[in-house]
Amino acid sequence: MATTADLRNGLVINFNHDLFQVIEFQHVKPGKGNAFVRTKLKSLTSGKVLDNTFSSGAGIIPVRVERHKFQYLYKDEVGFNFMNAETFDQVLIDEKLVTNADLMKEGQEVEILINTENDTALLCELPPFVELEVTYSEPGLKGDTANSPKKAIEVETGARIMVPLFIEEGQKIKVDTRTYDYVERVKS
């Protein structure tokens, strides 16, 4: 049994008969009253995010999880299929457990959180940045440069992203998988 002093981002805990990952937490010590910890928790079964407040020193039940590198193989009607990079074992993961699935291309390396108690996959995370090729881009209007204009493009995985006007079809761009933001052009 751990306490709220052991909370950290990414920790998986058993709370209200469900597994939650701590997205962020803040220790608050008001001038009056007892200290408490504000947390933002993401359910690993439903994907819902909830805010919760723990009193300082309250008991929490951490769950032991391991991160393994997997390679994305393909998607079928059941879910996403991945292969363990070390053991070559294949695992099938439900769509709702994959964050930002529309930025994932075949052969992409991802990390999967696995519950060590029952060897089940809990969550699939993409790397922070991915490089994708632009498959569709509307032409940018010359002279429309006020307020850093952006246009919508489509990348090879089918995701739509807002980018600066100078991005054209066939170019590779780097995308932040957490925010869907354009980062930079990738030099060939």
Side-chain angles (χ1 to χ4, degrees):
M1 188 83 144
T3 65
T4 55
D6 300 317
L7 281 176
R8 63 186 187 285
N9 290 344
L11 178 71
V12 178
I13 62 172
N14 192 339
F15 177 67
N16 286 348
H17 309 292
D18 196 3
L19 295 178
F20 287 89
Q21 183 176 27
V22 177
I23 297 173
E24 61 183 57
F25 70 98
Q26 180 183 20
H27 187 80
V28 180
K29 194 171 181 183
K32 210 179 208 184
N34 295 332
F36 57 90
V37 179
R38 253 189 224 120
T39 60
K40 196 172 268 191
L41 305 171
K42 179 180 180 182
S43 171
L44 296 180
T45 53
S46 67
K48 292 182 182 175
V49 176
L50 63 97
D51 295 319
N52 189 57
T53 303
F54 293 100
S55 59
S56 188
I60 58 171
I61 304 168
V63 176
R64 191 162 160 238
V65 295
E66 293 179 351
R67 291 180 177 269
H68 291 283
K69 291 202 181 298
F70 280 77
Q71 182 180 17
Y72 171 55
L73 297 176
Y74 59 92
K75 180 183 186 233
D76 58 17
E77 63 277 349
V78 182
F80 293 98
N81 291 281
F82 296 91
M83 178 181 69
N84 189 321
E86 297 156 3
T87 63
F88 304 109
D89 291 337
Q90 289 191 16
V91 66
L92 177 75
I93 294 185
D94 192 7
E95 266 187 76
K96 66 182 179 184
L97 298 179
V98 182
T99 56
N100 303 335
D102 58 342
L103 292 177
M104 189 168 52
K105 62 182 179 178
E106 290 182 8
Q108 177 81 46
E109 193 169 278
V110 297
E111 278 191 345
I112 296 182
L113 266 66
I114 297 179
N115 185 347
T116 57
E117 294 173 9
N118 54 10
D119 283 336
T120 57
L122 299 174
L123 181 70
C124 174
E125 294 178 339
L126 272 68
F129 302 101
V130 292
E131 295 177 2
L132 299 168
E133 186 175 334
V134 177
T135 56
Y136 175 74
S137 170
E138 295 176 359
L141 298 173
K142 208 173 196 144
D144 184 17
T145 58
N147 302 330
S148 65
K150 297 197 180 234
K151 64 180 180 178
I153 57 117
E154 192 170 303
V155 293
E156 60 188 294
T157 60
R160 296 189 61 79
I161 298 168
M162 297 301 287
V163 298
L165 293 177
F166 57 82
I167 300 297
E168 298 170 0
E169 280 185 39
Q171 291 182 325
K172 285 195 169 234
I173 60 171
K174 187 185 271 191
V175 179
D176 187 332
T177 59
R178 300 161 292 199
T179 60
Y180 281 71
D181 287 340
Y182 161 83
V183 178
E184 65 183 0
R185 276 193 285 194
V186 176
K187 293 163 182 63
S188 299

